[in-house]
Amino acid sequence: MGRKLLLDKAHIEGIRYYDTYRSNGGYAAAEKALKTLGPEGVLDEVKKSGLRGRGGAGFPTGLKWSFIAKPEGVPRYLVCNADESEPGTFKDRYLMEFIPHLLIEGLLISSFTLGANSCYIYIRGEYAWIPEILEQAIAEAKNKGWLGKNILGTGFDLEIYVQRGAGAYICGEETALIESLEGKRGNPRIKPPFPAVKGLWQSPTVVNNVETLAAVVPIVNIGGDEYIKYGTGKSTGTKLISACGNINKPGVYEIEMNISVEEFIYSDEYCGGIKNNKRLKACIPGGSSVPVLPANLLLKTAKGETRMMTYESLADGGFATGSMLGSGGFIVMDEDQCIVRNTLTFARFYHHESCGQCSPCREGTGWMKKVLQNIENGKGKMSDIDLLWDIQRKIEGNTICPLGDAAAWPVAAAIRHFRDEFEWHVANPQESQTRNFGLAHYADPLPAPAPAAV
Amino acid sequence: MAVVQFSEEKLNKVKEIIARYPEGKQKSALIPVLHLAQEAFGGWLSAETMDYVASLLQLKSIEVYEVATFYSMFNLKPVGTYLFEVCQTGPCMVSGSDQIIDYIKNKLGIGVGETTADGLFTLKTVECLGACGYAPMMQLGKHYREHLTPAKVDEIIAECRSKANAN
């Protein structure tokens, strides 16, 4: 069994409530942080831990925290990004629903470290039942003296508020989230200035993902040096993976970042293999934005090495033959799944979610959707495949925020690895309406050297 | 037309929300207050409702309209008593959401975006709601209905009908 740091106590009955959380060692890290370590001490431990942002980008958290500006007399803010919306990702929901005090404790330690006296949890609007769970946990913590004025007699004050969004993927981007929290449309801001200098209400602000902030608790408890013993290389600690698609046991798993992709998919401890004894065709390992990989490139890298569930190994080979760990939204597709249709749903998603500020994204996502719709409906032309390639290339890198890249990558990867399937759709417009291309050669052992990118 | 006016309780809630932000930053309360308004005034936001919210928060009406039109959870036209919001993005699609959407369409005799003649049900397709491991799924009011099958959809429809009859 893999060791756990976040969900080790998630199954204890009543852990959602303060008394149970506290009697199982809860708030010990907060006490250690406030009374013993101090802000500098916590920052050192977080830096030593190698913790990387768990929302998808994987940016080192300690470094992000060290960027926060500290002008005299200006408030600083911590904003918890709970706008979990990347297709395939549902891990933060689990954490907030089942063990909310872990997040509250993480917010307390992190706010203390950053010198923030107000902290906002921005949660996606559709998770409409979770704010009550969080607000109850906040009220309990406040009642026991962990929030409010002069916490533990240290002179540190903190209030935590929960703010619901209203249905906009883009608000997971930190500057769009800040705009939304200010009561505006979720249009990302041009950076610089970065939020660490001018964020919420033009004040220095750190925005971190739910899982990242929760991970601060075990880091303070066991120390950064101990934390790096979980995981491999620069993928330190544990990661929540939300597994879905055609597998026997979909759900949220906490893994040590030292297991193979094959073990994750096939072992009974995790996904339990492909559903209905089907064969694995493809997988999107880190949320819909990251490149889809065919089975043969998923389980082994192009160099023939075992692919591991780490930031580095999943990215091995770059976009030519690799993907990304991303948010940990692990989407598995069996031999009956159609890559064209799947890619179309993502193109439709990004078109729906584009904020519309940048024309390459606003227009390009719509074009990609329409071209994919034609191919899917048996009205495609061979030249459409190159057209799609061309459109995605013109979106990538040409937008204010990463939504453009996120929309381009799934289309690029689908064509890069599954071009045969797109061509088959175009060449067989009628047959493609009644059956799928199937597994084809996508699980065959790779010839060496690996195929080059398109 | 009924007068758009929050109850005393809701007005207190609005005050409590505004108090979460620094002085003068009451615009931040806009999205939470629009949620309250949509709940209070029939499940959608009319121009009158939006103007009312603007006056409560001392904003220009346009500031409210531009926000209400941006976020997909705000309904800008009337919807049925029970709004079925069925996810159709990749992970749900590979788990059979297309078939569930077709089943609901046939069962209720409406298309996507339409409301049944009795005003009870509206069907809407939505993009990823973060329940990918429990697919196919839909949002119904505040909660998610997951692991949908045709039989489960039948149960949900029956449940809504009996609730409507009880009212």
Side-chain angles (χ1 to χ4, degrees):
Chain A
M1 287 283 280
R3 294 175 296 176
K4 293 183 171 62
L5 291 169
L6 298 173
L7 302 181
D8 51 337
K9 299 186 184 103
H11 298 288
I12 296 173
E13 197 176 325
I15 198 75
R16 185 187 278 186
Y17 304 104
Y18 176 83
D19 289 343
T20 310
Y21 181 76
R22 177 73 172 140
S23 65
N24 282 281
Y27 290 97
E31 195 163 357
K32 183 175 171 185
L34 269 69
K35 287 192 163 166
T36 314
L37 293 176
E40 289 303 318
V42 177
L43 184 59
D44 280 348
E45 294 302 328
V46 172
K47 280 184 174 166
K48 270 194 274 179
S49 75
L51 176 66
R52 295 167 66 173
R54 300 296 196 227
F59 192 81
T61 306
L63 195 57
K64 192 172 193 177
W65 287 8
S66 65
F67 292 150
I68 195 163
K70 295 177 176 172
E72 202 61 40
V74 178
R76 284 165 240 157
Y77 296 102
L78 174 65
V79 176
C80 172
N81 185 344
D83 192 55
E84 180 170 65
S85 314
E86 170 88 1
T89 316
F90 48 100
K91 63 186 179 71
D92 297 335
R93 165 189 171 185
Y94 186 93
L95 208 149
M96 292 185 285
E97 268 191 280
F98 289 94
I99 186 160
H101 279 285
L102 185 69
L103 176 60
I104 305 303
E105 186 176 3
L107 295 178
L108 166 57
I109 298 168
S110 306
S111 298
F112 171 72
T113 307
L114 294 164
N117 302 115
S118 296
C119 167
Y120 296 89
I121 303 172
Y122 182 96
I123 184 167
R124 68 175 300 172
E126 294 91 340
Y127 285 172
W129 68 98
I130 300 180
E132 275 171 34
I133 297 172
L134 293 171
E135 277 166 354
Q136 186 182 359
I138 290 166
E140 285 181 326
K142 194 167 180 178
N143 191 31
K144 298 290 180 181
W146 296 101
L147 297 173
K149 297 269 176 216
N150 191 20
I151 300 164
L152 300 188
T154 58
F156 176 65
D157 305 337
L158 178 64
E159 295 292 342
I160 300 176
Y161 305 102
V162 183
Q163 175 109 349
R164 265 177 84 196
Y169 167 75
I170 189 60
C171 293
E173 195 280 334
E174 61 180 7
T175 61
L177 189 157
I178 289 170
E179 287 283 299
S180 182
L181 192 45
E182 292 183 359
K184 303 177 202 155
R185 295 166 77 90
N187 289 346
R189 296 176 180 173
I190 292 169
K191 297 191 258 192
F194 287 90
V197 178
K198 284 189 174 183
L200 183 60
W201 303 306
Q202 297 297 306
S203 291
T205 304
V206 165
V207 183
N208 281 137
N209 169 261
V210 169
E211 184 189 348
T212 310
L213 292 164
V216 171
V217 176
I219 288 168
V220 167
N221 265 327
I222 64 176
D225 290 333
E226 196 60 30
Y227 187 80
I228 60 173
K229 293 179 187 164
Y230 294 70
T232 324
K234 285 185 179 166
S235 300
T236 59
T238 62
K239 175 84 189 82
L240 297 183
I241 305 290
S242 57
C244 61
N246 309 118
I247 47 174
N248 281 317
K249 291 168 53 194
V252 178
Y253 297 100
E254 180 171 5
I255 62 161
E256 275 189 69
M257 286 190 273
N258 62 7
I259 63 168
S260 69
V261 174
E262 188 163 7
E263 180 184 351
F264 184 68
I265 294 179
Y266 290 100
S267 92
D268 285 333
E269 190 179 342
Y270 305 107
C271 302
I274 309 299
K275 210 170 165 181
N276 302 321
N277 290 316
K278 301 264 183 191
R279 289 167 300 174
L280 172 69
K281 177 175 180 178
C283 175
I284 301 165
S288 61
S289 306
V290 312
V292 59
L293 289 178
N296 52 13
L297 273 176
L298 176 73
L299 302 180
K300 286 206 187 314
T301 66
K303 287 179 261 171
E305 290 165 358
T306 301
R307 183 89 70 182
M308 305 294 288
M309 294 288 284
T310 65
Y311 289 99
E312 293 81 9
S313 183
L314 281 167
D316 189 280
F319 277 9
T321 59
S323 184
M324 285 170 78
L325 178 63
S327 62
F330 196 86
I331 309 168
V332 178
M333 286 174 268
D334 70 23
E335 59 190 289
D336 293 341
Q337 301 307 324
C338 171
I339 296 297
V340 175
R341 179 146 188 81
N342 195 66
T343 308
L344 166 62
T345 73
F346 292 131
R348 187 182 59 208
F349 173 85
Y350 291 106
H351 176 56
H352 184 262
E353 302 300 341
S354 174
C355 80
Q357 275 194 116
C358 311
S359 35
C361 174
R362 181 186 64 239
E363 304 301 324
T365 52
W367 294 345
M368 291 198 301
K369 181 182 89 166
K370 284 181 195 161
V371 174
L372 280 161
Q373 242 158 7
N374 280 344
I375 298 175
E376 162 70 5
N377 294 334
K379 293 175 190 148
K381 299 187 289 251
M382 279 300 169
S383 60
D384 283 344
I385 303 170
D386 290 329
L387 178 62
L388 273 176
W389 184 264
D390 191 48
I391 299 169
Q392 67 80 21
R393 231 167 38 93
K394 285 174 177 153
I395 300 174
E396 188 188 9
N398 291 322
T399 54
I400 290 175
C401 89
L403 191 141
D405 298 348
W409 294 344
V411 173
I415 297 174
R416 185 182 297 124
H417 300 301
F418 298 89
R419 195 175 182 109
D420 294 0
E421 188 163 349
F422 282 82
E423 290 175 352
W424 177 81
H425 263 260
V426 173
N428 302 280
Q430 260 134 36
E431 198 182 351
S432 68
Q433 302 306 297
T434 54
R435 75 168 185 95
N436 286 334
F437 190 57
L439 184 62
H441 54 87
Y442 298 123
D444 293 353
L446 285 176
V454 173
Chain B
M1 160 112 2
V3 180
V4 177
Q5 170 73 41
F6 275 144
S7 64
E8 201 59 36
E9 189 199 341
K10 291 252 180 185
L11 284 172
N12 286 333
K13 184 76 193 169
V14 172
K15 273 188 204 149
E16 185 200 313
I17 293 169
I18 292 172
R20 295 172 186 172
Y21 317 108
E23 188 85 33
K25 303 297 182 193
Q26 79 279 0
K27 184 169 179 174
S28 284
L30 180 52
I31 291 171
V33 174
L34 283 174
H35 276 302
L36 284 180
Q38 183 161 284
E39 259 171 51
F41 305 119
W44 70 292
L45 298 171
S46 64
E48 289 79 9
T49 302
M50 290 189 273
D51 293 344
Y52 175 64
V53 168
S55 70
L56 279 181
L57 298 177
Q58 296 156 291
L59 300 172
K60 294 188 190 86
S61 290
I62 185 68
E63 293 177 87
V64 179
Y65 302 161
E66 64 180 17
V67 164
T69 52
F70 185 84
Y71 295 92
S72 64
M73 290 182 75
F74 296 130
N75 301 314
L76 301 174
K77 55 179 193 182
V79 291
T81 315
Y82 302 100
L83 178 59
F84 288 2
E85 296 176 281
V86 188
C87 177
Q88 58 172 354
T89 314
C92 271
M93 191 275 289
V94 304
S95 306
S97 61
D98 290 350
Q99 289 85 330
I100 291 295
I101 293 164
D102 285 342
Y103 184 78
I104 297 173
K105 281 188 199 165
N106 286 332
K107 186 84 189 176
L108 295 177
I110 51 173
V112 172
E114 293 176 358
T115 301
T116 52
D118 58 8
L120 271 189
F121 299 99
T122 299
L123 173 62
K124 188 171 162 187
T125 51
V126 294
E127 300 297 346
C128 190
L129 296 186
C132 318
Y134 325 110
M137 63 78 65
M138 66 156 109
Q139 179 143 34
L140 176 56
K142 198 170 158 185
H143 293 278
Y144 285 3
R145 302 300 178 101
E146 298 168 333
H147 301 292
L148 292 180
T149 58
K152 223 165 174 179
V153 169
D154 287 347
E155 279 171 35
I156 293 167
I157 291 172
E159 176 196 320
C160 294
R161 286 220 164 97
S162 74
K163 256 194 239 163
N165 287 336
N167 285 335

